[in-house]
Amino acid sequence: MALYAALFLLSAAVVRSVLDRKRGRPPYPPGPFPLPIIGHLHLLGPRLHQTFHDLSQRYGPLMQLRLGSIRCVIAASPELAKECLKTHELVFSSRKHSTAIDIVTYDSSFAFSPYGPYWKFIKKLCTYELLGARNLAHFQPIRTLEVKSFLQILMRKGESGESFNVTEELVKLTSNVISHMMLSIRCSETESEAEAARTVIREVTQIFGEFDVSDIIWLCKNFDFQGIRKRSEDIQRRYDALLEKIITDREKQRRTHGGGGGGGEAKDFLDMFLDIMESGKAEVKFTREHLKALILDFFTAGTDTTAIVCEWAIAEVINNPNVLKKAQEEIANIVGFDRILQESDAPNLPYLQALIKETFRLHPPIPMLARKSISDCVIDGYMIPANTLLFVNLWSMGRNPKIWDYPTAFQPERFLEKEKAAIDVKGQHFELLPFGTGRRGCPGMLLAIQEVVIIIGTMIQCFDWKLPDGSGHVDMAERPGLTAPRETDLFCRVVPRVDPLVVSTQ
């Protein structure tokens, strides 16, 4: 029976292809032959970006797959990325939802909302208010304070000679930065709540990156075979309880002090959003669910991804001690040992910036940009119908030998050469798009860039990095999910390179 079904689908595809050519329509992109009902699901591994990369080596940089009932295309070259995300930006201005996304985000996520009035309103608010240059400058002392606290913890670990969980400490740091900016609280103040928040964030990024057969095979839409709906509802309940307490406490505080800011002049993001919600003057409908979904958007985008990039950078310099030495020498020459590197030092540290670019090239924290077409279009001579899911495979592009010499090697020097020196991470150069580009580019890009500079820079400046077993080699396997962290937590020992007083007094 399955053989007959396969022959029927093959015959139908051949007939449709012949008719399309007679009508002068462009062909669809190439790809492997799909099986009945499941399409190409049987070809997918747990790390989708790696699976798509392997398939692109066989079928070309623009490839078509069927994931159950969903047609999708994978683009794996800068030229195709530019055509999809710039030339046809409005066509690919939407994102596909999933059961997990809708449940966890109250079906109100800014990150996954369609390109419309609500998305435009929040994007403008982020660009000019929440994450604009003026507000980032206002919160710069908070970032400095949190990095200082982080360095003091590492300094104590170094003085005692004990190994510690670098992954965990980085997530604590980035959680503290974003929670301080958003909610005026530090995640580490109450360890049980901090651990609950970190667990929720990691679970969210993992479940958002999973394919749910209930979403992609129409015959299964009323079943929860993988338990994703049940897990999503559990995550949502825990997250809602956490946020409801924070928001309720802030509302009581605002009533006591007669407005936002907790009685002071400065306002965090929560106060700004509550002002909008309570004023009734928002350009769009803005509810409590929208507020909770936005806080989740900021936390997942501002915590896990930043920590992932910093961890990959440290893992790479441990595996490449010559890179660590060059970066330390540059920082010593420019910054010295009498003070700690600051965000404002970045323009004077080209090798450090090259090191960060190289980390983004090999280890983009979100390895694929996902979009959905809202109308038919033609890409590179191939027809892309409406409602097609597009994946721009950044992980694959970072390993393309046509773009990069020695593509699998960690070699920051490539970004100091004339040909590659102009490439940055801000979305203007399609060889490197860790924050996306255009309208749906990451609104937190400026914050993330400032954070990774000061975190990676100070970790390199202040310490030599060793593995507990003395092997000198970090396992670089990835964990599956929406983001691409290392598969296992990174444990290290550090040897201080600066006087502890320098860290404690600044």
Side-chain angles (χ1 to χ4, degrees):
M1 190 67 181
L3 176 61
Y4 288 132
L7 290 173
F8 173 78
L9 290 174
L10 177 60
S11 301
V14 171
V15 170
R16 184 177 60 186
S17 178
V18 170
L19 290 175
D20 284 345
R21 290 183 181 180
K22 285 186 176 180
R23 294 168 183 164
R25 293 179 181 173
Y28 294 109
F33 181 73
L35 295 180
I37 302 178
I38 67 170
H40 299 101
L41 287 178
H42 63 294
L43 299 178
L44 303 186
R47 297 162 186 82
L48 290 177
H49 52 284
Q50 295 185 19
T51 300
F52 289 167
H53 172 74
D54 293 339
L55 289 171
S56 293
Q57 303 304 299
R58 296 176 56 190
Y59 296 99
L62 188 68
M63 173 185 64
Q64 177 178 253
L65 294 177
R66 273 203 171 273
L67 306 180
S69 310
I70 299 173
R71 183 196 300 270
C72 72
V73 294
I74 295 89
S77 75
E79 296 78 16
L80 290 168
K82 185 176 183 178
E83 193 170 352
C84 294
L85 302 178
K86 184 175 181 179
T87 306
H88 296 282
E89 181 182 11
L90 287 177
V91 173
F92 293 103
S93 60
S94 186
R95 288 188 174 178
K96 177 173 170 51
H97 280 225
S98 69
T99 297
I101 291 169
D102 289 344
I103 291 173
V104 174
T105 69
Y106 311 83
D107 196 15
S108 300
S109 169
F110 161 65
F112 293 94
S113 64
Y115 181 69
Y118 177 74
W119 183 90
K120 292 178 182 178
F121 171 71
I122 299 298
K123 176 74 171 186
K124 182 173 69 174
L125 187 67
C126 290
T127 304
Y128 297 106
E129 294 292 335
L130 302 176
L131 296 168
R134 181 172 60 87
N135 221 30
L136 291 185
H138 169 74
F139 286 111
Q140 190 270 334
I142 287 175
R143 296 192 294 277
T144 301
L145 177 66
E146 295 297 349
V147 170
K148 175 184 173 181
S149 177
F150 168 74
L151 294 175
Q152 289 173 342
I153 292 171
L154 267 57
M155 190 64 69
R156 290 194 292 271
K157 303 286 187 184
E159 290 173 339
S160 67
E162 65 181 293
S163 63
F164 62 97
N165 190 327
V166 180
T167 306
E168 186 176 284
E169 294 300 335
L170 283 169
V171 172
K172 286 180 183 178
L173 168 59
T174 54
S175 297
N176 282 334
V177 170
I178 197 68
S179 62
H180 209 148
M181 292 176 64
M182 288 215 55
L183 310 171
S184 294
I185 61 176
R186 300 182 75 236
C187 282
S188 59
E189 287 175 349
T190 305
E191 190 55 37
S192 59
E193 289 186 0
E195 182 59 32
R198 289 192 293 271
T199 299
V200 167
I201 291 167
R202 186 57 61 90
E203 288 177 350
V204 166
T205 57
Q206 184 166 343
I207 203 167
F208 281 7
E210 295 179 27
F211 273 114
D212 187 349
V213 296
S214 301
D215 289 329
I216 58 183
I217 298 179
W218 65 271
L219 289 173
C220 303
K221 63 181 179 180
N222 295 321
F223 300 94
D224 189 21
F225 292 115
Q226 298 159 267
I228 288 179
R229 175 179 290 276
K230 183 178 180 181
R231 287 163 53 205
S232 300
E233 290 171 348
D234 176 63
I235 292 170
Q236 199 265 359
R237 277 194 298 270
R238 287 183 284 127
Y239 172 74
D240 187 82
L242 196 65
L243 256 292
E244 189 59 39
K245 181 181 184 302
I246 292 172
I247 295 172
T248 301
D249 289 347
R250 178 60 59 85
E251 288 173 329
K252 292 178 182 177
Q253 186 183 48
R254 286 164 64 89
R255 287 193 293 270
T256 300
H257 293 285
E265 295 182 0
K267 293 186 179 183
D268 59 21
F269 290 12
L270 179 55
D271 268 323
M272 295 179 191
F273 283 129
L274 287 172
D275 285 346
I276 293 169
M277 196 167 70
E278 293 170 2
S279 71
K281 297 179 181 179
E283 300 171 14
V284 295
K285 182 180 179 181
F286 191 82
T287 66
R288 201 175 189 84
E289 284 68 33
H290 286 112
L291 173 58
K292 292 176 183 177
L294 268 172
I295 294 173
L296 182 63
D297 283 339
F298 277 98
F299 265 103
T300 52
T303 297
D304 217 27
T305 52
T306 304
I308 286 169
V309 172
C310 296
E311 182 181 344
W312 278 119
I314 294 303
E316 287 287 3
V317 299
I318 292 173
N319 286 349
N320 297 272
N322 59 314
V323 172
L324 176 62
K325 183 179 179 181
K326 287 183 180 180
Q328 288 174 335
E329 288 175 350
E330 179 185 67
I331 295 171
N333 290 334
I334 301 300
V335 179
F337 293 94
D338 296 330
R339 68 175 179 89
I340 300 301
L341 180 148
Q342 300 173 359
E343 293 175 5
S344 57
D345 291 314
N348 300 319
L349 299 169
Y351 192 79
L352 176 63
Q353 293 192 60
L355 186 156
I356 292 170
K357 291 179 187 179
E358 183 74 341
T359 304
F360 276 124
R361 178 186 73 84
L362 279 176
H363 309 288
I366 298 180
M368 294 190 296
L369 303 178
R371 302 286 187 270
K372 187 177 74 171
S373 61
I374 60 175
S375 61
D376 295 352
C377 70
V378 177
I379 301 293
D380 196 33
Y382 292 105
M383 170 59 70
I384 310 296
N387 296 314
T388 297
L389 190 58
L390 166 72
F391 291 102
V392 178
N393 195 341
L394 306 181
W395 190 91
S396 183
M397 286 164 52
R399 288 162 171 75
N400 189 333
K402 295 181 180 179
I403 310 171
W404 314 101
D405 294 329
Y406 308 103
T408 59
F410 190 78
Q411 195 175 62
E413 290 80 5
R414 75 178 80 243
F415 288 104
L416 301 178
E417 299 168 0
K418 185 176 181 181
E419 183 181 348
K420 298 288 192 295
I423 295 176
D424 61 28
V425 297
K426 298 181 180 180
Q428 303 301 312
H429 299 85
F430 289 82
E431 297 94 334
L432 199 62
L433 293 172
F435 300 103
T437 186
R439 290 173 174 85
R440 297 217 75 132
C442 175
M445 176 184 65
L446 292 179
L447 172 61
I449 291 173
Q450 290 174 335
E451 279 192 273
V452 296
V453 166
I454 192 171
I455 295 172
I456 295 173
T458 54
M459 291 174 78
I460 288 173
Q461 176 193 18
C462 297
F463 306 100
D464 285 319
W465 293 82
K466 313 289 183 182
L467 295 181
D469 61 5
S471 65
H473 180 75
V474 180
D475 181 3
M476 306 300 270
E478 298 174 345
R479 196 193 69 205
L482 177 67
T483 56
R486 293 181 60 260
E487 189 169 47
T488 58
D489 285 3
L490 177 63
F491 285 83
C492 288
R493 290 186 299 106
V494 292
V495 178
R497 300 181 66 249
V498 300
D499 190 320
L501 289 175
V502 174
V503 174
S504 61
T505 57
Q506 289 195 6

